[in-house]
Amino acid sequence: MDTRPVGVFDSGMGGLTVLHECLVTMPHEDFVYLGDAARLPYGPRALEEIKGFAREIAGYLEAQGVKLILVACNAATSAALPELQSELTVPVVGVITPEAHAAVQATRNRRIGVLATQATVSAGRYESLLRTLDAGVEVQQIACPALVPLIESDDPYGAPTVDAVREYAKPLQAANVDTVILGCTHYPLIRPIFQRVFGRNVTLVFSAEETAREVAETLARKGIENDASREGRYRFLSTGDPEPFRLVGARFLQLPIDEVAHVALADLKAAA
């Protein structure tokens, strides 16, 4: 039995959709989640800058005594996963590889679309992974800069969000994709809008379940699981204002968030 928590981080609250699946898949494990709200959003930033942020946060979480780190952010996974895996002493899992596997298995016509932030599209990791898994697959990636602010707004299901999804969907529909990767952890919150726009003939892939399964399998393979008979706990940290995180975060997590502790950016930089 290893009682250390699993560390999870994201640029803000989107990663809470992944944490939700982890809590369901591993109810006996403890989790600590860090949202870098002070530097949100990551999507428009340069990949090297995002890599620096990810190294700071991962170093901080490792210093807090976590036993595994889950990068629950597509942009940070794209920018920094190989470096984090080589630099840290604990296992590091990202969110992109499970989604690529799921998309290749789901597609029928081998035409896959990716909707993501600009940073994730620029990194090209989805296309690289998809072509590694199936060299004949056709991949079209679309950057969606308007979606994260809309999803975190007071009205994520309003007309502006629907209009934005329709606009971003057009090139994928024209390319006749039959599978679309929702390549940002925010996007599942408006999954009904995506499904309405694309229709039932298009498979939407957001592999929070596969990611949670990979975390569970990694813990088992390393022999660092917690006692399966216990009930796990979870706590939250934010570099931004804790109260908005607590209120809006519950919508993403679909579970209560009682308290959020503040972490200074200086503390993260010191841990890098």
Side-chain angles (χ1 to χ4, degrees):
M1 185 177 71
D2 190 327
T3 59
R4 292 177 296 166
V6 173
V8 185
F9 77 87
D10 180 35
S11 59
M13 290 174 275
L16 294 170
T17 59
V18 182
L19 177 61
H20 174 88
E21 292 301 329
C22 289
L23 294 174
V24 172
T25 303
M26 296 163 280
H28 54 287
E29 296 288 352
D30 291 348
F31 292 87
V32 54
Y33 179 98
L34 194 155
D36 191 13
R39 299 183 289 201
L40 179 76
Y42 281 8
R45 296 179 182 272
L47 291 171
E48 281 301 313
E49 186 177 27
I50 298 170
K51 183 187 297 184
F53 295 166
R55 293 174 74 183
E56 290 173 5
I57 296 170
Y60 178 85
L61 289 173
E62 185 177 40
Q64 297 296 304
V66 301
K67 60 184 176 183
L68 178 146
I69 292 175
L70 169 56
V71 188
C73 173
N74 298 74
T77 298
S78 299
L81 185 63
E83 287 78 8
L84 297 181
Q85 290 175 330
S86 64
E87 294 171 1
L88 300 179
T89 60
V90 297
V92 183
V93 174
V95 291
I96 289 179
T97 300
E99 290 174 337
H101 278 283
V104 168
Q105 292 172 353
T107 184
R108 303 175 301 281
N109 66 7
R110 301 169 84 189
R111 296 178 181 178
I112 297 173
V114 179
L115 297 175
T117 65
Q118 184 61 60
T120 299
V121 169
S122 298
R125 282 185 59 83
Y126 273 114
E127 185 167 9
S128 176
L129 278 168
L130 289 166
R131 293 192 188 282
T132 298
L133 295 167
D134 180 356
V137 74
E138 296 180 24
V139 183
Q140 183 150 355
Q141 301 185 92
I142 305 296
C144 310
L147 287 186
V148 168
L150 286 168
I151 293 169
E152 290 202 355
S153 72
D154 292 335
D155 187 17
Y157 306 105
T161 306
V162 176
D163 291 343
V165 170
R166 283 177 176 153
E167 193 63 29
Y168 294 136
K170 285 179 181 178
L172 300 185
Q173 292 167 325
N176 194 33
V177 302
D178 73 347
T179 302
V180 174
I181 295 174
L182 302 182
C184 174
T185 52
H186 280 70
Y187 296 175
L189 200 70
I190 59 166
R191 184 168 186 155
I193 296 176
F194 284 112
Q195 200 72 74
R196 168 71 173 167
V197 169
F198 282 106
R200 287 294 181 189
N201 290 329
V202 173
T203 301
L204 300 179
V205 172
F206 171 69
S207 60
E209 293 181 11
E210 287 85 354
T211 301
R213 192 176 301 117
E214 182 174 341
V215 170
E217 291 172 354
T218 301
L219 294 176
R221 187 171 63 252
K222 300 288 186 180
I224 52 176
E225 315 102 307
N226 212 332
D227 187 339
S229 65
R230 69 186 293 277
E231 181 178 351
R233 297 171 294 177
Y234 52 92
R235 60 190 180 93
F236 303 93
L237 309 171
S238 176
T239 58
D241 187 342
E243 188 59 15
F245 184 100
R246 187 183 69 82
L247 294 174
V248 180
R251 192 170 73 202
F252 285 79
L253 187 64
Q254 301 176 58
L255 289 167
I257 296 179
D258 296 325
E259 184 178 349
V260 180
H262 181 259
V263 177
L265 290 178
D267 293 336
L268 298 185
K269 295 179 187 299

